[in-house]
Amino acid sequence: MELNLNHVIEQVAKDKGISGEALQETLEQAILQAAKKVFGVEREIEAHFNVTDGVVELFQIIRVADEITDPYNELTLEEAVEHGLDAELGDELLFQIFYLDKDTQKAREQDERYGDILQLRGQRRAFGRIAAQTAKQVITQRIREAERDNVYSEYIDRKGELITGIVRRFERGNLIVDLGRAEAILPVREQVSRESYRAGDRVQAYVLDVQRNTRGPQIVLSRTSPGLLIKLFEMEVPEIYEGIVRIETAAREPGSRAKIAVSSRDPDVDPVGACVGMKGSRVQAVVQELRGEKIDIVPYSEDPARFVCNAIQPADVSRVLIDEETFTMELIVPDDQLSQAIGRRGQNVRLASQLSGWKIDIHSESKILELEEEARLALMALDGVDEDHIDTLWRLGYRSLEHIANTPEEELATIPGISAADAELIRAGAEDLLERRERGEDIRPAAPLPEGYEPEREWSRWPLDVDALSREVFDRCVRVGRFTLEDIAREEEPEAFARAVGMNVDSAVQTIYAAREALAAIQPAMDPGAAATAEQVEVRDEAPIDVTAVVESE
C-alpha cells in the first residue's frame, strides 16, 4: 500500500489545528534537509509537494556552462548534446531524483541514462531511512512550534480579560494553573496574601500578560490587578457591559479594600445604584469572588474637588483647598470624622488618592483653626499690621502664612484697606515667619507672664534628673502659658497639651506624669502656706492615661 501524505497532512492539521499549507512546507523542508545530508550539501536541490500524488518530489538543478567549475551542478554543452539533452549555454536543467520504492525502475533508468551527470548511484538506498528520521524530527518540531503559535494567538487576544482555570501545582510559591489548552502562571507578587489554594481548586484571574519564550507562550495571571475588579463588575452589571454605565477608574489594596468611580451616559440611570444592585446583590457577588474585599462605589465627577470629596467617602468634607501647581488638595473635615477620612493605617485616603490621581492631605477643623490662629497671632505681632488687616485677609480666604507668602504684593494691594506698603509688609512678614517655622522656631507670640511670676524661681522647683521635665520643656511650657508644675499636672487632654507645647503625644504623656510625680514628692516638704497652694492642685491617682489609646487616636 502506497503512502499518501495528503491523508497524513489532513489528519495532523485536524488534530493539531495547523494549516495544511504549513505542513506541506514543513514536509518539503524535511525532505530537502535529508537530501542535502545524503546527496551532499554542495548540490542545488529543490523540494516540491505534489498535491495530486501526495508525495514530496526532489529535483536537482544543473546548469550548462562553457567550463565546469562545480562538477555537481554544472555540465558542458557537449555533455548535454551527448546525453541527448536539448539545451543551450546558460540553461538550467531540472532532473527529478527518484527515491521512493515505487520509483525504483525510474531511478534505474535514470542512472543508466544520466548517471554520469547526476552522480547518484549507490546513494538512493540510504536516503529512505535518513529521510524518514529527518522528516519525523522536523515535523515534530514544526508541530510543536505551530501549537505554541496557536496557543499564543489564542491567548494574546484574551489579554485584559477574565479567565478560569484549575490549580495544578506549586513552583516556588507560584501557582501553575491549567487553562485547558495551555498552562498559566499566577506569580507570588500577583497573589492576594489572604487567599490560599490547593491543587484542584478553581481560580478566576485576570490575564495580565502573554509573553513568548523558547518553551512556549507564558500566560501571566493576576488576582491583585484593578483590572480584575473592573472585569468582575462588567460580568455582574449589564449596564456596564452595554456601555450605559462606565467605570472611570479603580484602586485596590488587594484583599482589604477597593474603590471604583462610576459614571452614567443616561441621566435616568444611577451608576452607583446599578453597580450595587437590588439589595446589594451585584456588588456582593463581586465581594464574594474577591474573598470578602470591601468595595466603595463612588460617583465620578469632572470637577476634581467634587470627585475627591466623593472618593474620600464615607467621611464628609467641610472645605477643600486646591494647589494645582503641586497637584495637591487639602481636605478639612469635622473633628469626629478625621479618623474615618484617613482610614485604618491611612487606607481610605491612600485609595482616594490613587483613585483621583491627586495628592491628598487631610486636616481636622480644630487643627486648621489652630493653624489659622497661630498665623493670625504671628501676623498681628508684626509692626504695622493691625487686627483690621488680618480680619480682611481672613474674610477673603487668606488664612495661612503659605497662602499670603505666595500671593503677589500687587494682588494683596487690591484688597480694601490694605495699601501697597501694607501689602509689602504683610507678605515679607509671612515669608520671614515661614522661614522661622521651618527652622523649628515657635512663631506664636509668647503668653504674657502673670504678675509677680519669676521663671527662675519656678524652675528651681523642677527636679533636675528627669528628662521629661528638662529646661527645654520648661521654656516651652512657660511660652504657651503652662507656668507651673501644677498647670502641667492638671492637663487631662494629652493631645491638646502636645499640640500646644509642640511635642509628640507620647512625650506629652510622660511630661504630665513626671509633673504629677514631682508634685507628690515635694508636697511633704512644703510649708503650710505653700501646702495651701498645692491643695488647689488635684493630682489624680485613679484612672491613668492610656498611652496606647492616645497614640492610636492621634
Side-chain angles (χ1 to χ4, degrees), residues 3-10 12 19-35 46-50 54-58 99 127 131-132 134-140 142-143:
L3 177 64
N4 190 326
L5 292 178
N6 284 324
H7 301 312
V8 178
I9 291 174
E10 182 180 352
V12 172
S19 67
E21 292 78 7
L23 286 173
Q24 290 175 13
E25 293 178 3
T26 301
L27 283 169
E28 290 174 354
Q29 292 298 319
I31 299 300
L32 183 59
Q33 287 184 27
E46 292 182 353
H48 299 282
F49 185 79
N50 187 326
V55 297
V56 177
E57 297 177 341
L58 286 175
Y99 64 91
F127 181 75
T134 305
K136 180 180 179 181
Q137 293 173 357
V138 172
I139 291 171
T140 302
R142 181 66 183 91
I143 289 175

Side-chain angles (χ1 to χ4, degrees), residues 127-200:
F127 181 75
R129 178 176 54 82
I130 295 176
Q133 292 176 346
T134 305
K136 180 180 179 181
Q137 293 173 357
V138 172
I139 291 171
T140 302
Q141 180 64 26
R142 181 66 183 91
I143 289 175
R144 288 175 181 169
E145 292 175 357
E147 287 179 330
R148 291 170 183 171
D149 290 341
N150 288 343
V151 171
Y152 178 81
S153 300
E154 177 182 347
Y155 286 98
I156 190 64
D157 295 332
R158 301 191 64 179
K159 184 178 178 180
E161 296 183 1
L162 287 186
I163 200 165
T164 302
I166 304 297
V167 177
R168 289 302 180 204
R169 62 186 184 277
F170 302 87
E171 293 181 359
R172 298 179 181 177
N174 302 325
L175 266 64
I176 306 302
V177 182
D178 184 1
L179 303 179
R181 289 199 60 194
E183 285 188 341
I185 182 172
L186 183 60
V188 175
R189 66 179 183 277
E190 299 297 336
Q191 297 176 28
V192 179
S193 57
R194 289 175 51 187
E195 298 178 353
S196 61
Y197 298 93
R198 293 178 296 180

Side-chain angles (χ1 to χ4, degrees), residues 254-270:
S256 179
R257 192 172 180 181
K259 288 179 181 284
I260 63 169
V262 294
S263 62
S264 175
R265 294 183 178 180
D266 188 341
D268 295 330
V269 176
D270 175 20

Side-chain angles (χ1 to χ4, degrees), residues 16 102-103 320 340 342 456:
K16 301 297 184 180
K102 69 173 185 174
D103 296 328
V320 180
Q340 190 177 37
I342 295 174
E456 294 303 323

Side-chain angles (χ1 to χ4, degrees), residues 306-502:
R306 185 178 297 276
F307 181 38
V308 168
C309 291
N310 293 339
I312 208 69
Q313 290 179 2
D316 296 327
V317 179
S318 304
R319 194 160 30 131
V320 180
L321 304 176
I322 302 177
D323 187 348
E324 294 185 349
E325 291 185 2
T326 60
F327 221 65
T328 301
M329 286 195 192
E330 290 188 22
L331 305 185
I332 301 169
V333 300
D335 289 16
D336 59 347
Q337 297 198 32
L338 178 62
S339 60
Q340 190 177 37
I342 295 174
R344 186 177 182 182
R345 299 177 181 174
Q347 185 183 68
N348 192 51
V349 67
R350 194 162 52 247
L351 285 173
S353 180
Q354 294 175 16
L355 193 72
S356 63
W358 285 75
K359 181 182 177 183
I360 300 175
D361 294 330
I362 297 183
H363 304 287
S364 64
E365 290 180 341
S366 61
K367 178 67 174 178
I368 292 299
L369 290 175
E370 287 182 11
L371 293 175
E372 290 178 356
E373 184 63 22
E374 175 186 318
R376 184 184 185 94
L377 294 174
L379 287 171
M380 289 184 63
L382 298 174
D383 293 335
V385 179
D386 56 31
E387 191 169 353
D388 291 337
H389 292 147
I390 305 302
D391 289 340
T392 303
L393 289 170
W394 254 238
R395 190 168 59 252
L396 295 177
Y398 299 88
R399 297 187 175 185
S400 70
L401 294 176
E402 290 82 1
H403 195 177
I404 296 172
N406 293 329
T407 303
E409 295 177 7
E410 297 78 9
E411 181 179 333
L412 292 175
T414 61
I415 297 175
I418 296 180
S419 64
D422 294 335
E424 181 180 358
L425 177 64
I426 291 172
R427 187 171 183 274
E431 291 178 347
D432 179 63
L433 289 169
L434 282 176
E435 291 178 359
R436 288 171 52 194
R437 190 168 70 184
E438 289 178 359
R439 292 196 299 266
E441 296 183 26
D442 191 345
I443 61 174
R444 295 170 296 179
L449 299 179
E451 185 176 354
Y453 178 78
E454 298 180 11
E456 294 303 323
R457 182 176 180 180
E458 173 61 26
W459 169 242
S460 66
R461 300 175 61 221
W462 288 41
L464 299 178
D465 56 349
V466 180
D467 293 338
L469 297 176
S470 64
R471 181 64 191 224
E472 180 185 357
V473 173
F474 173 78
D475 292 337
R476 287 189 178 191
C477 291
V478 171
R479 181 178 177 82
V480 298
R482 275 70 169 181
F483 300 108
T484 64
L485 286 171
E486 288 80 2
D487 291 337
I488 299 172
R490 275 191 290 262
E491 292 287 347
E492 295 183 1
E493 296 183 3
E495 300 98 321
F497 178 67
R499 288 196 298 270
V501 180

Side-chain angles (χ1 to χ4, degrees), residues 84-96:
L85 299 172
D86 185 11
E88 296 180 359
L89 287 175
D91 286 352
E92 289 187 349
L93 305 177
L94 210 62
F95 295 90
Q96 184 175 356

Side-chain angles (χ1 to χ4, degrees), residues 162-165 186 192 194-197 201-206 222-224 228-233 235-236 252 255 281-295:
L162 287 186
I163 200 165
T164 302
L186 183 60
V192 179
R194 289 175 51 187
E195 298 178 353
S196 61
Y197 298 93
D201 286 352
R202 166 194 166 277
V203 58
Q204 189 171 38
Y206 179 78
S222 174
R223 287 280 298 177
T224 62
L228 175 64
L229 179 66
I230 294 172
K231 289 299 178 181
L232 287 172
F233 270 102
M235 288 176 55
E236 296 295 335
R252 287 183 69 194
S281 59
R282 293 174 176 176
V283 69
Q284 283 304 318
V286 178
V287 170
Q288 185 176 1
E289 176 59 36
L290 296 179
R291 311 286 181 91
E293 186 172 309
K294 296 179 181 179
I295 301 174

